[in-house]
Amino acid sequence: MTRLSAVTLVIDDEVQIRRFLRAGFELEGFDVVEASTGLEGIRVATLTPVDLVIVDLGLPDMDGSDIVERLRSWSSVPIIVLTVRSSEQEKVRLLELGADDYIVKPFGMGELLARARAVLRRQQGTIGEPIVRIGSLQIDLAGRTVTRGGSELQLTMKEYKLLQILARHAGTVVTHQQLLKEIWGPSHAHDGHYLRILVRKIRRKIEDNPSQPSLLKTELGVGYRLIGQSNS
Amino acid sequence: MWLGACRHLILRDRGVPQESARQSPQSYFATFQRGATAMAMHGWSAGPARPLNWLDYLPGVVQSTGLLPSLALVAALTVCLSIATKFLDLPHVSIVYLIPVLIAATRWGAIPAVASAIGGIASSAYFFYPPLFDWRVSDPQQITDIVLFVGVAVVTGRLADNARAHMSAAQKSEAEVRSLYKFSRRLAAASTVDEILAAARDHVSSTLGRRILLFQANPDEGEPTVASGASGLQQPPHQQLSRAGHSVPRAPPLADDSTWVKRPICESNPTLGTVALDLGHPPPHKVQSLQNQVAVALADVSATLERLDVARALEEARARSSREAFREAIIGSVSHELRTPLAGILGAASILSATPFAAQDKRLAALLDVIRSEAERLDGGIQKLLDASRVSSDGLRPQRVWTDPADLIDAALEPYRRAHAHRFQVLLSDELPLLHIDPILVQQALRLIIDNAVKYSSTESAISVEAEDDGSRILLRVRDHGMGITAEERERLFERFYRGPRHQRLVAGSGLGLWIARAFLVANEGQLEVESAGTDKGTTVTVYLPIRPCPEREARDAT
């Protein structure tokens, strides 16, 4: 586990949540700044250089999506949203507004840290390594090749495209809409069945047990997630 | 109306016969005709039902009641003139007879006018033109007088008759408008079905001048109208009304020979009510026109009642949506208020578990595990309560998307992977068709079923989750080797809050799980089946979900 000295802004009105998030992040070497309201959070984000924003969806003064929208209007800082269950459409909306990922309350700190690392790595690695390693899978974005356990996989154009998009977002969720638009074009944004069939095919090629995938995970009702890189 | 009348006169002056103008549907006189029709319909209805006399059975022409007074006028004038001619010389005495002709035409119509004209000529010839007291007339000048008189009498008579008809039509339509205005004001003020029905009943009876026997909001089952016999009327006997469960309110005993018409207030929506009208003893030739009048009067009423129905539906929709908003608010608030502390507990416990202290001290690690698992259980309980409230408030609106059954099973098993307590086996057949379902609802249902398998079987036993298709459905099966279900328990399995005594002894629970699971599956057109060979023989729960044809081009375009 690498230690990252990133500054994390936690925007949450619940003092207990802020306390445990601070403890969890600080134990992993993050610096933490806190804000208890949405407006305060936006002010802190403009005054302090922050590397990551954790924002609760249920703030009393502002809607979570408003905060995401306003932060996104001037900053590309990674944003992770804390949500509750059974609001899949809300999650998709937040991701489309520019949130990088979400996590459903209640959650374990380990899970949140994994997501935080994934979004930070993506933020820092946009100009970096062309090779993404996930388990025995190696995706060479420059050479456009995918190898599994050393041997190259034969992928169709669309299969490769799917892996490429997910690899660029490794560790974070990518919505169905985004995948459909990027792979088939905007006119197919509602042909969800294309994507299910493509995912099923590619899982047969990259997963050890396609019926219980460990690399390409389903976020039911939201999208897909290629799990985070093993190391970097 | 006056314009119509003027045009009518002009046309008549050009020699077009009146009857043909009325019969031509494309004529200029559509407006006028409508007025005339309305007049004809309401003309007879003023006042309460009256007993019919012999006049009603005579042809319409003879029914004109002005015949005798007109002739009486002529007689009176003859008497006056015979006195006057004793003192004055009146060479054109027949002109004076135009007075009764005009009076008869304006007051009683064309027939009495013609009758008084004939009476006038006869009187002139008999009493005043030589030879006196003889019908013959010798002077050619006087013959010209008589011919002129006849011409003037006919023309003025017809003109006055027309003017009279238009005036009475105007009066009738004014009365009709007044009555409609009164009716609509009452309707506007009415806010309940009963008030509207009372207003409608009064309106119909005053417009038609007929007694109304039944006017109820709940119609009898089926047979809406009449239509027995050639006339389309029936005589609703007492037995039939009481058989349908209606009281016969406030009505005097039915005279067995009076004719009744019974029909729904609204043809298109028989649920609005039925009305029965006493027509008395109408002559056969009036039956059809009476039926038409009933239909016209009921059209207003049914339109209002339908509007009321729409208003009621709108009111209900408003109430429903505010109920739903309230429910959403409660769910949101419960979700937030209960889950936030849980998030703190679970988060803090997860941090502690990752510290070196927990790694060194097994007892500490075990305690942290207790905190974690109990907090997760609490979270599951909150979710179940929220789900149950969604089911009971009828708030399930599935968001259907194409879903891989394998994804459903994978997501449903996710929370159990960390527990490592049971051995899970997943068996999927190849190339399962996609499902068009709400993945969240079906996943939650599957989770509740798996939850039961975990709860009611020993921790080392295996639980298998299988998926296959039988051509028209996909079968998702959860099979455990636990305590099983007896036939008795199976009967009550899907009852809300039901828990068998054996299950209660083993582990705590709410009795909501299967009830919610079934509701979620039914919302997705699915079914749930539970089988068990009996006590300690394990349980198999099978979920059936329909296969929908996938949109075309899938195979070609997908990859």
Side-chain angles (χ1 to χ4, degrees):
Chain A
M1 289 238 166
T2 49
R3 298 214 157 213
L4 300 160
S5 56
V7 179
T8 303
L9 168 61
V10 175
I11 310 175
D12 198 315
D13 59 318
E14 295 285 337
V15 63
Q16 306 300 349
I17 301 278
R18 293 205 303 274
R19 275 172 69 182
F20 103 74
L21 287 178
R22 173 181 282 280
F25 277 116
E26 283 183 348
L27 275 171
E28 292 298 314
F30 287 68
D31 290 326
V32 176
V33 280
E34 295 176 24
S36 59
T37 65
L39 280 176
E40 192 192 338
I42 289 171
R43 201 178 62 239
V44 171
T46 54
L47 297 176
T48 328
V50 296
D51 303 301
L52 174 68
V53 176
I54 310 287
V55 59
D56 183 64
L57 205 55
L59 291 172
D61 68 326
M62 268 175 97
D63 191 48
S65 55
D66 285 346
I67 299 178
V68 171
E69 223 173 348
R70 283 174 69 169
L71 284 173
R72 268 296 161 267
S73 64
W74 55 270
S75 166
S76 61
V77 62
I79 303 171
I80 296 177
V81 184
L82 309 181
T83 73
V84 289
R85 228 194 298 185
S86 26
S87 58
E88 270 59 36
Q89 281 119 320
E90 180 73 7
K91 291 169 195 162
V92 170
R93 201 164 70 88
L94 286 164
L95 293 170
E96 279 167 357
L97 283 173
D100 292 84
D101 211 338
Y102 64 84
I103 192 159
V104 177
K105 287 198 283 192
F107 53 86
M109 196 64 209
E111 215 178 332
L112 178 59
L113 283 168
R115 309 246 160 124
R117 288 201 189 89
V119 295
L120 282 171
R121 188 180 295 125
R122 186 153 75 84
Q123 180 77 0
Q124 291 154 0
T126 40
I127 42 161
E129 286 188 40
I131 293 176
V132 180
R133 290 187 189 80
I134 294 156
S136 61
L137 204 64
Q138 186 168 312
I139 303 161
D140 184 347
L141 296 173
R144 301 175 74 85
T145 56
V146 180
T147 54
R148 181 176 167 214
S151 56
E152 192 175 331
L153 293 178
Q154 296 300 312
L155 299 178
T156 65
M157 283 293 288
K158 289 199 168 70
E159 286 168 354
Y160 175 75
K161 184 96 187 181
L162 174 67
L163 263 192
Q164 183 194 37
I165 299 164
L166 290 173
R168 279 207 310 264
H169 296 80
T172 61
V173 67
V174 184
T175 63
H176 295 140
Q177 296 286 304
Q178 192 184 339
L179 289 168
L180 283 164
K181 278 184 201 160
E182 284 198 38
I183 300 172
W184 285 274
S187 60
H188 292 282
H190 299 286
D191 293 333
H193 58 291
Y194 286 11
L195 188 57
R196 306 299 181 286
I197 291 165
L198 185 63
V199 166
R200 194 186 273 182
K201 290 198 160 144
I202 204 163
R203 272 183 180 149
R204 292 207 188 110
K205 295 185 182 177
I206 64 169
E207 297 280 359
D208 293 332
N209 180 358
S211 64
Q212 292 181 69
S214 59
L215 303 177
L216 203 172
K217 306 290 277 183
T218 303
E219 296 281 333
L220 224 48
V222 180
Y224 290 100
R225 182 197 300 274
L226 201 61
I227 62 156
Q229 295 193 49
S230 339
N231 52 60
S232 58
Chain B
M1 183 57 76
W2 280 113
L3 190 65
C6 292
R7 281 186 185 158
H8 190 69
L9 293 177
I10 293 163
L11 191 71
R12 271 174 42 79
D13 285 349
R14 286 178 190 155
V16 177
Q18 190 186 3
E19 284 315 303
S20 70
R22 283 197 178 203
Q23 282 159 7
S24 159
Q26 289 89 19
S27 80
Y28 288 105
F29 306 105
T31 323
F32 171 72
Q33 278 180 313
R34 273 200 292 279
T37 316
M39 175 197 76
M41 282 211 225
H42 295 284
W44 61 279
S45 67
R50 61 183 166 82
L52 297 170
N53 57 34
W54 61 272
L55 272 176
D56 286 326
Y57 296 93
L58 292 173
V61 172
V62 186
Q63 277 188 40
S64 308
T65 47
L67 211 56
L68 294 174
S70 320
L71 294 175
L73 265 180
V74 173
L77 193 67
T78 308
V79 172
C80 292
L81 281 174
S82 51
I83 294 167
T85 44
K86 294 206 163 126
F87 309 103
L88 299 165
D89 180 30
L90 294 171
H92 303 292
V93 74
S94 59
I95 298 298
V96 184
Y97 280 102
L98 280 178
I99 295 168
V101 172
L102 285 173
I103 292 175
T106 47
R107 295 206 56 171
W108 302 300
I111 303 294
V114 170
S116 57
I118 293 167
I121 294 163
S123 302
S124 306
Y126 195 77
F127 293 109
F128 304 110
Y129 294 147
L132 292 181
F133 308 111
D134 192 308
W135 299 110
R136 285 167 298 179
V137 177
S138 52
D139 189 344
Q141 177 65 41
Q142 286 164 345
I143 290 171
T144 316
D145 275 3
I146 286 172
V147 170
L148 276 173
F149 169 77
V150 169
V152 171
V154 168
V155 170
T156 52
R158 292 300 293 268
L159 284 177
D161 188 31
N162 266 323
R164 189 185 67 96
H166 296 320
M167 201 170 75
S168 102
Q171 279 169 353
K172 298 287 183 202
S173 75
E174 191 200 337
E176 190 187 321
V177 166
R178 247 203 318 267
S179 151
L180 262 179
Y181 176 66
K182 205 174 134 201
F183 178 43
S184 64
R185 281 189 57 163
R186 263 187 85 178
L187 285 182
S191 57
T192 66
V193 178
D194 284 346
E195 280 170 24
I196 286 191
L197 285 183
R201 186 185 54 223
D202 292 351
H203 174 68
V204 171
S205 74
S206 81
T207 315
L208 297 181
R210 296 289 167 184
R211 192 162 50 113
I212 289 189
L213 182 61
L214 282 174
F215 206 118
Q216 79 257 340
N218 302 314
D220 44 47
E221 50 296 319
E223 41 86 58
T225 15
V226 285
S228 79
S231 65
L233 291 175
Q234 67 176 16
Q235 322 251 342
H238 265 315
Q239 314 86 285
Q240 189 189 334
L241 292 171
S242 45
R243 176 176 57 78
H246 307 311
S247 58
V248 181
R250 296 182 304 278
L254 287 169
D256 281 342
D257 55 346
S258 82
T259 307
W260 291 81
V261 60
K262 178 160 154 281
R263 50 188 302 156
I265 294 166
C266 175
E267 295 284 358
S268 61
N269 184 3
T271 58
L272 285 178
T274 306
V275 61
L277 278 150
D278 177 7
L279 296 185
H281 303 84
H285 69 271
K286 276 199 162 183
V287 162
Q288 190 53 49
S289 85
L290 282 173
Q291 280 203 301
N292 292 343
Q293 288 156 21
V294 172
V296 168
L298 286 181
D300 294 346
V301 178
S302 76
T304 311
L305 282 170
E306 278 186 333
R307 197 186 63 208
L308 180 82
D309 224 38
V310 170
R312 193 166 42 203
L314 282 175
E315 190 54 45
E316 273 170 17
R318 257 200 299 279
R320 202 167 39 238
S321 84
S322 69
R323 269 202 307 277
E324 232 157 67
F326 180 69
R327 186 179 57 83
E328 295 286 328
I330 291 280
I331 289 178
S333 143
V334 166
S335 213
H336 187 260
E337 289 306 312
L338 297 181
R339 284 218 161 114
T340 301
L342 266 181
I345 295 168
L346 268 173
S350 71
I351 294 168
L352 283 176
S353 319
T355 56
F357 310 109
Q360 285 156 16
D361 191 332
K362 279 206 172 130
R363 281 170 304 178
L364 196 60
L367 286 176
L368 285 167
D369 205 45
V370 169
I371 295 175
R372 185 192 54 75
S373 68
E374 288 302 283
E376 274 171 359
R377 196 174 128 205
L378 195 51
D379 185 52
I382 292 168
Q383 184 62 41
K384 225 183 248 184
L385 280 178
L386 293 173
D387 288 343
S389 91
R390 282 178 79 188
V391 173
S392 49
S393 62
D394 225 11
L396 292 178
R397 283 180 299 271
Q399 308 282 328
R400 289 163 193 266
V401 292
W402 291 103
T403 307
D404 192 335
D407 282 351
L408 277 177
I409 291 174
D410 189 42
L413 283 174
E414 187 66 38
Y416 304 99
R417 295 231 168 76
R418 280 171 289 174
H420 303 299
H422 288 78
R423 285 181 291 123
F424 280 100
Q425 294 172 331
V426 179
L427 300 163
L428 305 177
S429 36
D430 285 339
E431 293 299 334
L432 282 173
L434 298 182
L435 288 165
H436 198 236
I437 47 150
D438 183 322
I440 304 299
L441 288 182
V442 176
Q443 175 219 235
Q444 185 62 16
L446 263 185
R447 237 178 229 187
L448 291 165
I449 293 165
I450 295 169
D451 216 40
N452 278 344
V454 168
K455 270 194 331 207
Y456 303 118
S457 64
S458 60
T459 44
E460 298 79 27
S461 66
I463 295 173
S464 74
V465 184
E466 301 155 22
E468 61 182 13
D469 75 296
D470 69 356
S472 63
R473 298 172 302 179
I474 284 191
L475 284 61
L476 306 174
R477 201 172 280 130
V478 178
R479 205 192 294 272
D480 69 47
H481 301 279
M483 62 193 294
I485 287 169
T486 63
E488 197 180 305
E489 289 161 347
R490 200 167 157 235
E491 265 177 35
R492 305 188 55 195
L493 210 53
F494 292 107
E495 279 176 32
R496 196 176 178 180
F497 302 122
Y498 172 76
R499 298 195 70 225
R502 294 186 307 133
H503 302 84
Q504 282 179 28
R505 278 195 294 275
L506 188 74
V507 61
S510 61
L512 284 170
L514 272 181
W515 179 75
I516 296 170
R518 185 159 77 162
F520 280 9
L521 291 169
V522 167
N524 285 281
E525 293 165 29
Q527 287 171 310
L528 191 56
E529 223 175 73
V530 181
E531 292 159 293
S532 174
T535 309
D536 295 327
K537 298 267 171 63
T539 308
T540 301
V541 182
T542 311
V543 172
Y544 299 90
L545 289 161
I547 297 173
R548 299 256 169 272
C550 221
E552 283 175 23
R553 299 183 304 159
E554 57 175 75
R556 186 158 49 83
D557 283 10
T559 54

